[in-house]
Amino acid sequence: MDYRWKRFRKWVKPLQNKQAYEQKRKALYTLLYLAQTGRIELYFGDESGFCLTPCVPYGWIKKGKHAPILSQKGARINVFGLLSTDNKLLTYQKGGSLNADFIIQCVDAFSASITKPTVIVLDNASLHTGGRWEIKKEEWEQKGLYIFFLPTYSPHLNRIERFWKQVKYYWLKAEDYLSIDALREALQTIFTGFENYFTLNFKELVVDENLILNFE
């Protein structure tokens, strides 16, 4: 039989609006180009949650031995993160559930530190939309901070998604899940040492004139 054992993967491409996707992708490439040429700062934002249910899929184990990982219910650490195109990382943690008010507070705090025109790339989650967001966007734009929304069903365009995956599947170790305090400490080590010890090598943008909007 012509079959192979393969992992199933989530596929959202059929749900995309093709025209809207291409327009947004082209605009995002323009923002990446402007960031690479030093004309703006560009950050990718998103939320992630961490608990004592491990995501560690692989590890070095002696032959004939097993390495069970205890899965526990308990507290959860929720994080809103901002990752720039040059690997600057900002994280904001919350013990309880995240809501729009908390994310707005995070963006407010971030807006006070910008020194040049800055864009935050976000998805269309309910945490990022609504009446308060529309009001705050006007305030932020007066400070030089702008929000760019990705096309729907396009998580692959958000660079910070790759960062969360690296944290959960590669950088956290089995022993980091022994307690919520151990997990919190491990996350803090990763977050604070990211630029020096845990860098991500994103593919360089190849500037194609067909993918750059006219911004002059």
Side-chain angles (χ1 to χ4, degrees), residues 88-128:
K88 291 195 290 279
L89 176 69
L90 296 168
T91 58
Y92 307 85
Q93 297 185 30
K94 191 173 187 294
S97 299
L98 300 184
N99 53 38
D101 287 340
F102 176 75
I103 305 302
I104 287 173
Q105 290 172 14
C106 297
V107 177
D108 252 341
F110 174 71
S111 70
S113 66
I114 65 174
T115 58
K116 65 192 306 184
T118 302
V119 179
I120 295 178
V121 177
L122 295 172
D123 61 26
N124 292 271
S126 59
L127 293 176
H128 309 148

Side-chain angles (χ1 to χ4, degrees), residues 30 33-34 37 39 212-216:
T30 300
Y33 175 74
L34 293 175
T37 54
R39 300 167 73 164
I212 302 299
L213 296 174
N214 182 11
F215 54 85
E216 299 295 349

